[in-house]
Amino acid sequence: VERIVKANDREYNEKFQYADNRIHTSKYNIITFLPINLFEQFQRVANAYFLFLLILQLIPEISSLTWFTTIVPLVLVITMTAGKDATDDYFRHKSDNQVNNRQSEVLIDGKLQNEKWMNVKVGDIIKLENNQFVAADLLLLSSSEPHGLCYIETAELDGETNLKVRHALSVTSELGADISRLAKFDGTVVCEAPNNKLDKFTGVLSWKDSKHSLNNQKIILRGCVLRNTGWCFGMVIFAGPDTKLMQNSGKTKFKRTSIDRLMNTLVLWIFGFLVCLGIILAIGNSIWENQVGGQFRTSLFRNEEKKNFVFSGFLTFWSYIIVLNTVVPISLYVSMEVIRLGHSYFINWDRKMYYSGKAAPAEARTTTLNEELGQIEYVFSDKTGTLTQNIMTFKKCSINGRIYAGEEYGDPVQKKEITKKKEPVDFSEKSQAERSLQFFDHSLMESIKSGDPKVHEFFRVLALCHTVMSEEDSSGKLIYQVQSPDEGALVTAARNCGFIFKSRTPDSITIEELGTLVTYQLLAFLDFNNIRKRMSVIVRNPEGQIKLYSKGADTILFERLHPSSKDLLSLTSDHLSDFAGEGLRTLAIAYKDLDDKYFKEWHKMLEVASAAAHERDDQISQLYEEIERDLMLLGATAVEDKLQEGVIDTIASLSLANIKIWVLTGDKQETAINIGYACNMLTEDMNDVFVVAGNTVGEVREELRKAKESLPGQNHSILNAHAACGKEQQLEMASVGEEDTAPGDYALVINGHSLAHALESDVKSDLLELACLCKTVICCRVTPLQKAQVVELVKKHRNAVTLAIGDGANDVSMIKSAHIGVGISGQEGLQAVLASDYSFAQFRYLQRLLLVHGRWSYFRMCKFLRYFLYKNFAFTLVHFWYGFFCGFSAQTVYDQWFITLFNIVYTSLPVLAMGIFDQDVSDQNSMDCPQLYEPGQLNLLFNKHKFFICMAHGIYTSLALFFIPYGAFYSAAGEDGQHVADYQSFAVTMATSLVFVVSAQIALDTSYWTVINHVFIWGSIATYFCILFTTHSSDIFGMFPNQFPFVGNVWHSLTQKCVWLVILLTTVASVMPVVAFRFLKVDLYPTLTDQIRQRQKAQKKAKPVRRQRPQTRRSSSRRSGYAFAHQEGYGELITSGKNMRAKTPPPTSGLEKPLYNSTSWLENLCKKTTDTLSSFSQEKTVKL
């Protein structure tokens, strides 16, 4: 229930048997591999079925086939699958070892020693250095920064790349880097048990007879990276599987495709069918034995006792089960594994999915799920690093009513002027310019050089109003530590335009304005929060003027402008609409001149409010409101959160393929909505966007109900009826309800704390029903485990195939939960890739993975299964018809060697070639026409209906194969006047007919001919004849007389013209109905695939120019890009000076007193950081 950890005392901590820091993501070890793997393999119905047959074949009384016909292929399949599983697990072991063998500096016996991560124990003190990964969940003791602060990046945990602050207790921060004092530290921590709540920690540190409470701000979690901090020391609280990162990793699940599950059902049906056939033949045997067999035996073996006809029928039943088992031969499963392996290599070798930027090819990390890629209905995507690059770029700005555009221009006159100069602006003359920023509008630099006061003031605001910290590296280059990437983009833009932010102290900001150093006195910092959606600074310039500079959401700032800005407001508002229409993040910029006397009075009131015991925040907020009035508008900025290349086209294409995309992100609501608009998942043309943000179960339920009621067709009577049903029925109704979305386009946006309530059992049905009626669903501020819960909800109740795609450790549980997990090898480490089934470097490759490789894999596998089942029904059911003519004796029609080699040699390679290489349409047409993907989602190419068609086709072919030669040979004589109708000649004729029929059928089924198809199909027929002549030769009969009884028969049979005519007639009778049916079907009822194949043939003759999809420009309402990744409290942190190294303070005027009481800044930061991850509602922790 609680954990007790003592620092620097391994012996004491070992009493509690805490987990060490070693992690295991592998499934097996050397001892458990064989039993667990065999158990998993025999869960496959077919493997258990073949084992049962093998046991039957070992009983001599009933076995009419030798046991090696089953044991050889069974061992082969199990060995191949085990080898593949062992290889997969070897790579998991390898990645585990890589992580476990990372080095960390650990304080042991009074000195720092390099230790492997796996040897780190609970209670150890670890030293971390800048840019190092955190090895375990640590209590921060001290750091290189003032007051024990350190900065961490939590991208692996929540997908956010903005920096977070953690701070040590003041009593431990005094330890510094003094190894002797740290070695003597013997504090005891009593804290909560291991859990998966990323944003909560409660505990108490007891040291030197005093107790200190601990919270999440004192803890650094495994998976974080130390940033902008020279070093820090921490004490290990949770290690290995107990860390919050590992507690959030879902279990590795045994994934099977829907075709595998269907095959399990079909194998049971086929076994039932065999039992029925066996019973019919057993009854026939009993009747025959009773009426004919007894007399027949008496005339042959006069002294043999009369046989019990019932017992004879019982033995015959089992004999026929063995003879007829080839309906589902084990070679089916060998072939399926080979085909899947081939498809995996095609993915690995696809150059169009190779990303040269990182030399990263696509990789199929599993070989068992390829055809499932052709059946995806729901895609669950992370945002940061998956859809976006998380790189902010300053694109455009509007200053004093004029647009300065980076690359695209709204005004045709302006465009005419600017296109004369197509080269980007040369920032090289500015020593501190950021080279990567490209801006194409030269008139901006001309305005700056000409001294336009509004332009200067605009960039002055960008250089002064922010929370960025600066430092210089060894070469003297300025490096900015940004709390959010948005701010970094704006400060960098100002820097490139000559307004360089240089440094700051708690009461001053120094900037370089066009080469001149200017220091502004920082009088007050009016911090950002989610309600204000703006940030302001009040500064005194060297001339003594007091100015308020403000930036924030345009909707907020426009309400606070002076009436004189009315005309400019109208013009800037139009510009902002243009910016937002291009999916850019917008911000308004304003300023105000303050009177010295007024400011002093306001500042006194602020000091009083800051010291108030009650309603302090409200009083401060009112004072902020008062001073931020009558602002003068300067303009607006437009920043692009760069989407990954091809994201918009990929999403559009997947939507056309009827794939629904849900975005699950740890980011803020505004960020997620903005990216939704940028990706065209949300559009202004949508009928409505429902935002669910309730804080209680009741509020969430009410919001979901209201949203549902507003949908057309969702009338009250239906809703009331719904409310009356039981919850299970509701979910059932949701799962079997309308597949399509509601008429019109709707979107649902829900945040983490609301989702926690919505996932409770009595609200689940409302959430699922509404979400499935919407075209787009965005869940923001969700925890890693909530992502997995959403995937599980859709998986369970929609019965749909799901795919999850992400790039960080926070996506691992979602990737493991979905039917298919895709990892993007991006900025955030390799955890997502290691947990995934497929990986590549860019989101855009998902389009090719699904629409080309997935579709082809599903098409090929279905075609393979239909053909394979057909040929084996045709091959096996001949024994059933023959049973009526051989006294139901379980004698086989064919030579035993033909039965053994039919599936392994004669027909294996042609069907493999078709299963690996076949394609109905080209890859380009698959991409150009996403609607071709829908048959996979609807499971049209292989289902129970198709199975019965294959079965009927096989039964018809078996009838033709048996009765045409039987009728032809019934009273026929050979050319020499002798009978042809001996058993061996009949067997050879039927076997040859069968090989011709199935070869002709596969030639008809093949859509895409390669050299390999030709060699395998015609080569198999040649192989059949070579083996046939060998097994019928007198030489091999002389060596093995018992194994090869058909001596010389092939020469006797195949030299007769009538035999060849019978073979031809049988082949034509079997194949012609199929040819006629397919011709009529394509001619009268062509499918979309048939139409595109016709177009493809026409294209080969005359290639038309491919038309580009027109780019539609959206008109859009404005969405402020501000405050996206921003956290409240940083203004207070800056003015307190706690995050700054000591410097000589500049002269002060007495007005720049820190805004709040400096001892409470951190409490305020903790208190106000309400927008962190919601706690999990799960009672049960999922362990890896």
Side-chain angles (χ1 to χ4, degrees), residues 544-827:
Q545 296 169 316
I546 298 177
K547 297 223 174 201
L548 179 145
Y549 292 130
S550 189
K551 68 177 182 186
D554 43 77
T555 49
I556 303 290
L557 276 192
F558 286 178
E559 293 168 2
R560 290 164 175 75
L561 295 180
H562 191 274
S564 64
S565 293
K566 189 178 176 185
D567 293 341
L568 181 57
L569 163 63
S570 173
L571 197 54
T572 307
S573 191
D574 291 343
H575 294 169
L576 281 168
S577 294
D578 287 344
F579 296 164
E582 291 156 28
L584 302 176
R585 297 173 149 191
T586 58
L587 265 183
I589 308 292
Y591 76 101
K592 180 182 179 181
D593 292 317
L594 293 175
D595 176 59
D596 209 327
K597 185 182 173 189
Y598 168 72
F599 174 73
K600 282 180 180 173
E601 288 172 8
W602 179 85
H603 199 268
K604 278 179 188 170
M605 288 190 286
L606 185 64
E607 284 178 340
V608 172
S610 300
H614 301 293
E615 297 181 349
R616 175 173 170 266
D617 289 347
D618 289 343
Q619 290 182 40
I620 289 171
S621 182
Q622 282 171 10
L623 285 166
Y624 285 179
E625 287 284 336
E626 184 188 315
I627 203 164
E628 289 174 323
R629 280 185 197 150
D630 295 334
L631 301 174
M632 302 301 292
L633 183 62
L634 279 169
T637 62
V639 171
E640 180 184 40
D641 181 1
K642 274 199 166 175
L643 291 174
Q644 284 200 9
E645 192 185 331
V647 163
I648 295 174
D649 288 343
T650 301
I651 287 173
S653 193
L654 295 181
S655 297
L656 285 172
N658 201 30
I659 295 171
K660 297 170 184 69
I661 300 174
W662 292 21
V663 176
L664 310 177
T665 176
D667 254 352
K668 288 194 170 86
Q669 187 172 299
E670 293 96 330
T671 323
I673 290 174
N674 202 79
I675 293 301
Y677 277 103
C679 297
N680 287 349
M681 291 172 70
L682 299 176
T683 63
E684 293 304 323
D685 301 331
M686 281 188 156
N687 299 52
D688 205 349
V689 176
F690 305 118
V691 178
V692 177
N695 289 310
T696 64
V697 178
E699 285 176 16
V700 172
R701 187 190 290 111
E702 190 55 37
E703 286 178 26
L704 290 170
R705 290 275 164 92
K706 275 184 183 170
K708 260 197 300 183
E709 284 173 28
S710 65
L711 291 172
Q714 303 292 311
N715 60 40
H716 297 277
S717 60
I718 292 174
L719 289 165
N720 294 338
H722 227 281
C725 309
K727 296 297 165 193
E728 284 304 312
Q729 283 174 293
Q730 284 191 33
L731 281 168
E732 230 18 73
M733 284 170 72
S735 64
V736 298
E738 286 293 312
E739 273 299 319
D740 298 323
T741 52
D745 286 346
Y746 294 88
L748 172 67
V749 178
I750 183 167
N751 59 32
H753 55 84
S754 302
L755 189 63
H757 298 306
L759 289 170
E760 289 182 12
S761 56
D762 59 337
V763 192
K764 264 184 193 173
S765 57
D766 295 320
L767 171 68
L768 186 65
E769 193 177 346
L770 177 63
C772 291
L773 289 167
C774 292
K775 184 181 176 185
T776 299
V777 178
I778 297 175
C779 304
C780 35
R781 273 303 184 203
V782 289
T783 59
L785 217 57
Q786 280 178 331
K787 290 184 177 186
Q789 288 170 337
V790 171
V791 174
E792 287 290 351
L793 181 69
V794 174
K795 245 174 91 174
K796 186 177 175 186
H797 298 293
R798 292 300 290 181
N799 198 22
V801 182
T802 58
L803 178 145
I805 179 168
D807 70 324
N810 58 319
D811 303 313
V812 166
S813 49
M814 167 174 84
I815 283 169
K816 287 180 177 175
S817 292
H819 291 101
I820 303 275
V822 177
I824 289 186
S825 44
Q827 312 288 338

Side-chain angles (χ1 to χ4, degrees), residues 298-312:
T298 308
S299 63
L300 285 179
F301 316 105
R302 299 184 190 286
N303 53 358
E304 190 178 302
E305 289 180 25
K306 192 174 181 184
K307 201 172 180 183
N308 184 331
F309 65 88
V310 176
F311 185 63
S312 170

Side-chain angles (χ1 to χ4, degrees), residues 377-431:
E377 288 182 62
Y378 287 87
V379 168
F380 298 92
S381 174
D382 178 37
K383 181 194 75 68
T384 311
T386 304
L387 298 176
T388 67
Q389 299 177 31
N390 209 35
I391 298 169
M392 304 292 173
T393 314
F394 183 77
K395 277 286 179 192
K396 301 184 179 187
C397 58
S398 165
I399 306 175
N400 200 29
R402 180 176 177 184
I403 289 183
Y404 297 94
E407 290 168 277
E408 298 170 27
Y409 316 97
D411 181 4
V413 178
Q414 195 180 349
K415 182 174 181 176
K416 203 170 178 182
E417 290 171 15
I418 292 165
T419 45
K420 293 172 191 170
K421 305 175 181 180
K422 288 186 180 175
E423 291 298 310
V425 175
D426 182 14
F427 293 118
S428 58
E429 60 193 53
K430 296 178 176 53
S431 59

